[in-house]
Amino acid sequence: MGLLRELYYIFLGFFQGLGACFLFLFRILRCTPAALLRWRIIWQQIYSVGAMSLVLIMVSGFFVGMVMGLQGYNTLSKFAATSALGTLVALSLLRELGPVVTALLFAGRAGTALTSEIGLMRATEQIAGMEMMAVDPVRRVVVPRFLAGAVSVPLLTMIFSAVGILGGFVVGVSFMGVDSGAFWSQMRVNVDLWDDVIGGLIKSVVFGGACSLLAVYEGYYSHPTAEGVSRATTRTVVNSALAVLVLDYLLTAFMIHGV
Amino acid sequence: MASEELKSDNAVEITGLRYRVGGKMIFDRMNISIARGKVTAIMGPSGTGKTTLLRIMTGQVLGDRGRVLVEGKNVARLTADELYDLRRQMGFLFQNGALFTDSSVSENVAFPLREHTRLPESLIRHIVLMKLQAVGLRGAAQLMPTELSGGMARRVALARAIAMDPKIIFYDEPFAGLDPISMGVIVRLIRRLNDSLGLTSIIVSHDVEEVSAVSDHSYLISDGKVVAYGTPQELEHNKSAWVRQFMKGLADGPVPFHYPAPDYATQLLGEEHR
């Protein structure tokens, strides 16, 4: 009985959290038109959450691409199909690795920063101060950060995939001796704009929205103490990672059966 | 009906306020009137809900029962937009200042102006300098909040609170944790701003000496009720033992020094025999 009750409360807590998260999303969307008029604030946030993540994304993308090149070459050479290396690297990155790894890195690099920043603003009464100055903190603080995250992740994903393909090219063509023409032409023939590129982009838009929402939600509703903010930051990473992986499966299943 | 007729010349009228947190009664049928244009202090021991009372007056927290009228408007019945409209007439000084740590002093003071007005940049700059001059920190305009002392941060927060020329200003423990000089500066500022800008000032504090120096009237609250009300002189000569203990800071009296405990000797001997 104790275990059942425990499970009941876990599920109840999960759905309560999910509901609160969606209500918060509606509140964000309601404030979005007003926040869009202050595009400068959103621009600043895109710089701090997006542009500041560029180096991490590019370095990670390059190494992931290099590993793909190495592993792909190793496997394909057993079937004398190394000319398909370009296709393998591009499809893996565009369809899966690009959106998923970028979203996970974004959650770790920028999501945590968003949560702790908003959480500390609440702990130091800056949020309450804003409310007392008749400024809605959701419009002024949360929406610009959410939009910046949601815009940045697809852009970062594109950069991740592009740099990754370059990494695969460097290892496959420069180090392993795969023919450069075969690498690019096979990729051009086998990568479909709608199925692969746009499909991956749709995933990244969903992941960006989910990671940004979780980050601002956890920050806004964190307990205004040092421990509360630290817990909220941890929850951001854990929940974002889970959300990305679960959503990835759902979107992939939908795309494979739907397309 | 959000707006109700003001029966008297009071900026704030609280009648029959009840507020309970968990099982604990914080306010029990509390009545308070704050005269317009005066400095009114709300004093009481720590934990009596003084800050909560400020939050109720400003609509950050809603009371369970009773009526809270601020500038003739029933705070509990306002929509979010109406509450924000009312708050544009209010200034609130938080205990820690609540300055935005990522913006400079001048940007902090300019914040409400940028949010609520479409004034040109040059005019905003002038207003910011005037407000900072009023609190004596025009020279600190370019500093960041982390570079300020506690007293300076509170003065900057005060400049920000008066940026929109409010009608009422709320001070939450304005003297807590300040050195004597900063305390003297804040006392003088509260009085001067109140008189020169024609504000209504409401101070929540337990610093008897400073409050007596600045306030026109004081409310003493304890156990969810108003215990005494009057000018600082009237409270000074109040006959009630509780008021005397609070005003003179005596360690023992109606509020006992000892937390309720079993008999001392019995407990000591009992421990020994165990």
Side-chain angles (χ1 to χ4, degrees), chain B residues 2 49 62 86 122 134 150 164 188 203 242 269:
Chain B
L62 292 183
L86 181 63
S122 59
M164 292 290 289
R188 220 182 69 182
I203 305 173
W242 189 94
L269 290 170

mmCIF file of all heavy atoms in Angstrom, chain B residues 2 49 62 86 122 134 150 164 188 203 242 269:
data_model
loop_
_atom_site.group_PDB
_atom_site.id
_atom_site.type_symbol
_atom_site.label_atom_id
_atom_site.label_comp_id
_atom_site.label_asym_id
_atom_site.label_seq_id
_atom_site.Cartn_x
_atom_site.Cartn_y
_atom_site.Cartn_z
ATOM 1 N N ALA B 2 -14.264 48.657 -7.749
ATOM 2 C CA ALA B 2 -12.921 48.692 -7.187
ATOM 3 C C ALA B 2 -12.722 49.958 -6.368
ATOM 4 O O ALA B 2 -12.092 49.961 -5.334
ATOM 5 C CB ALA B 2 -11.904 48.620 -8.301
ATOM 6 N N GLY B 49 4.520 40.448 12.001
ATOM 7 C CA GLY B 49 3.861 40.588 10.701
ATOM 8 C C GLY B 49 3.858 42.011 10.166
ATOM 9 O O GLY B 49 2.985 42.370 9.380
ATOM 10 N N LEU B 62 -2.864 39.010 -0.062
ATOM 11 C CA LEU B 62 -4.251 39.374 0.214
ATOM 12 C C LEU B 62 -4.644 38.895 1.604
ATOM 13 O O LEU B 62 -4.328 37.776 1.994
ATOM 14 C CB LEU B 62 -5.183 38.740 -0.818
ATOM 15 C CG LEU B 62 -5.055 39.271 -2.257
ATOM 16 C CD1 LEU B 62 -6.091 38.614 -3.150
ATOM 17 C CD2 LEU B 62 -5.217 40.782 -2.301
ATOM 18 N N LEU B 86 -2.478 51.355 -9.572
ATOM 19 C CA LEU B 86 -2.368 51.888 -8.209
ATOM 20 C C LEU B 86 -0.900 51.936 -7.761
ATOM 21 O O LEU B 86 -0.461 52.892 -7.118
ATOM 22 C CB LEU B 86 -3.196 51.017 -7.247
ATOM 23 C CG LEU B 86 -3.207 51.444 -5.783
ATOM 24 C CD1 LEU B 86 -3.844 52.821 -5.623
ATOM 25 C CD2 LEU B 86 -3.956 50.438 -4.916
ATOM 26 N N SER B 122 17.429 62.352 -22.976
ATOM 27 C CA SER B 122 18.052 63.481 -22.261
ATOM 28 C C SER B 122 17.234 63.860 -21.027
ATOM 29 O O SER B 122 17.785 64.173 -19.965
ATOM 30 C CB SER B 122 18.181 64.679 -23.197
ATOM 31 O OG SER B 122 16.899 65.047 -23.664
ATOM 32 N N ALA B 134 18.827 64.332 -4.871
ATOM 33 C CA ALA B 134 17.964 64.413 -3.690
ATOM 34 C C ALA B 134 18.441 63.479 -2.582
ATOM 35 O O ALA B 134 18.255 63.766 -1.404
ATOM 36 C CB ALA B 134 16.522 64.087 -4.077
ATOM 37 N N GLY B 150 25.853 49.394 2.283
ATOM 38 C CA GLY B 150 24.439 49.111 2.571
ATOM 39 C C GLY B 150 23.599 50.385 2.600
ATOM 40 O O GLY B 150 22.509 50.441 2.039
ATOM 41 N N MET B 164 9.112 58.006 -9.983
ATOM 42 C CA MET B 164 7.838 58.263 -10.671
ATOM 43 C C MET B 164 6.953 59.227 -9.875
ATOM 44 O O MET B 164 5.747 59.301 -10.115
ATOM 45 C CB MET B 164 7.091 56.941 -10.900
ATOM 46 C CG MET B 164 7.749 56.009 -11.900
ATOM 47 S SD MET B 164 7.630 56.628 -13.581
ATOM 48 C CE MET B 164 5.907 56.394 -13.916
ATOM 49 N N ARG B 188 16.825 61.664 8.002
ATOM 50 C CA ARG B 188 16.662 63.018 7.457
ATOM 51 C C ARG B 188 15.980 62.978 6.090
ATOM 52 O O ARG B 188 15.123 63.798 5.787
ATOM 53 C CB ARG B 188 18.037 63.679 7.343
ATOM 54 C CG ARG B 188 18.009 65.140 7.748
ATOM 55 C CD ARG B 188 19.351 65.773 7.576
ATOM 56 N NE ARG B 188 19.684 65.886 6.151
ATOM 57 C CZ ARG B 188 20.830 66.369 5.690
ATOM 58 N NH1 ARG B 188 21.765 66.746 6.540
ATOM 59 N NH2 ARG B 188 21.068 66.465 4.405
ATOM 60 N N ILE B 203 6.296 53.737 7.523
ATOM 61 C CA ILE B 203 7.548 53.067 7.888
ATOM 62 C C ILE B 203 7.241 51.869 8.766
ATOM 63 O O ILE B 203 6.495 51.980 9.735
ATOM 64 C CB ILE B 203 8.468 54.011 8.697
ATOM 65 C CG1 ILE B 203 8.709 55.307 7.933
ATOM 66 C CG2 ILE B 203 9.776 53.339 9.030
ATOM 67 C CD1 ILE B 203 9.459 56.335 8.741
ATOM 68 N N TRP B 242 3.394 46.924 28.620
ATOM 69 C CA TRP B 242 3.930 46.347 27.381
ATOM 70 C C TRP B 242 4.567 47.447 26.522
ATOM 71 O O TRP B 242 5.677 47.300 26.021
ATOM 72 C CB TRP B 242 2.806 45.660 26.590
ATOM 73 C CG TRP B 242 3.334 44.864 25.434
ATOM 74 C CD1 TRP B 242 3.636 43.550 25.413
ATOM 75 C CD2 TRP B 242 3.663 45.364 24.123
ATOM 76 N NE1 TRP B 242 4.130 43.182 24.186
ATOM 77 C CE2 TRP B 242 4.166 44.287 23.374
ATOM 78 C CE3 TRP B 242 3.602 46.612 23.511
ATOM 79 C CZ2 TRP B 242 4.578 44.402 22.055
ATOM 80 C CZ3 TRP B 242 4.029 46.755 22.199
ATOM 81 C CH2 TRP B 242 4.500 45.645 21.484
ATOM 82 N N LEU B 269 16.686 18.749 38.503
ATOM 83 C CA LEU B 269 16.732 17.579 39.384
ATOM 84 C C LEU B 269 16.244 16.341 38.651
ATOM 85 O O LEU B 269 16.816 15.259 38.787
ATOM 86 C CB LEU B 269 15.875 17.835 40.630
ATOM 87 C CG LEU B 269 16.466 18.890 41.575
ATOM 88 C CD1 LEU B 269 15.461 19.271 42.652
ATOM 89 C CD2 LEU B 269 17.749 18.369 42.202
#
